[in-house]
Amino acid sequence: VQLQAFGGGLVQAGGSLRLSCLASGNIQSINVMGWDRQAPGKQRELVATIRPRGITAYADSVKGRFTISRDYAKNTVSLLMNSLEPEDTAVYYCTAEVNVVGQPGVYDAFGRGTQVTVSS
C-alpha cells in the first residue's frame, strides 16, 4: 500500500492550499484516512481524520479553517486549508487505515509527507 501526497508549497499568511493524497496497492477497503503534521522541533500531531460515512474530526488549532474530504471510490483524501497561519508551517503526512487484500487485520499506512510553508 502506498500513499502519495500532492499540493504542498509556499503561501502567505491568510492564503489557502489544498493537499491531496492517493492510496494505491492491494487495497480491500480503507477505514480512516487523515492528515498528520510535524513542525520543526515539535512532535507529530493529528490534523484531521475522516471515517466512513463522512465522520470528521479536527485538531482544535485548525477547526473552522481546514476541511477534510474524501472520494471513497478513488481512495483519495483532500485537505483544504484556509486562513493559513505561520504556525501551520510543517510537513504534512497523509495517513490511512487499510484492509489489505488477503491479509488479516488492518495496516496503518503513511505517506512521505509534503512541505507546507506559510510566510508572515
Side-chain angles (χ1 to χ4, degrees):
V1 176
Q2 292 182 333
L3 301 181
Q4 188 172 9
F6 307 91
L10 173 65
V11 65
Q12 287 188 331
S16 299
L17 278 177
R18 178 185 289 273
L19 305 181
S20 297
C21 175
L22 169 66
S24 61
N26 293 328
I27 298 171
Q28 179 175 342
S29 62
I30 300 177
N31 301 330
V32 186
M33 294 192 83
W35 295 90
D36 291 349
R37 69 185 180 186
Q38 187 165 20
K42 295 187 177 181
Q43 288 189 330
R44 189 159 168 165
E45 63 173 348
L46 184 148
V47 175
T49 59
I50 183 164
R51 297 180 176 273
R53 302 189 185 93
I55 298 171
T56 59
Y58 297 92
D60 288 342
S61 59
V62 307
K63 281 181 182 176
R65 301 187 298 122
F66 290 12
T67 302
I68 190 169
S69 60
R70 185 171 164 181
D71 186 323
Y72 293 88
K74 295 181 179 179
N75 289 334
T76 61
V77 63
S78 296
L79 185 69
L80 176 61
M81 305 183 291
N82 293 323
S83 302
L84 282 162
E85 303 167 353
E87 292 74 21
D88 295 315
T89 295
V91 177
Y92 285 70
Y93 298 91
C94 177
T95 65
E97 186 180 273
V98 181
N99 295 296
V100 179
V101 174
Q103 295 186 13
V106 295
Y107 172 70
D108 289 324
F110 297 91
R112 284 190 176 181
T114 184
Q115 177 70 45
V116 171
T117 302
V118 184
S119 63
S120 57

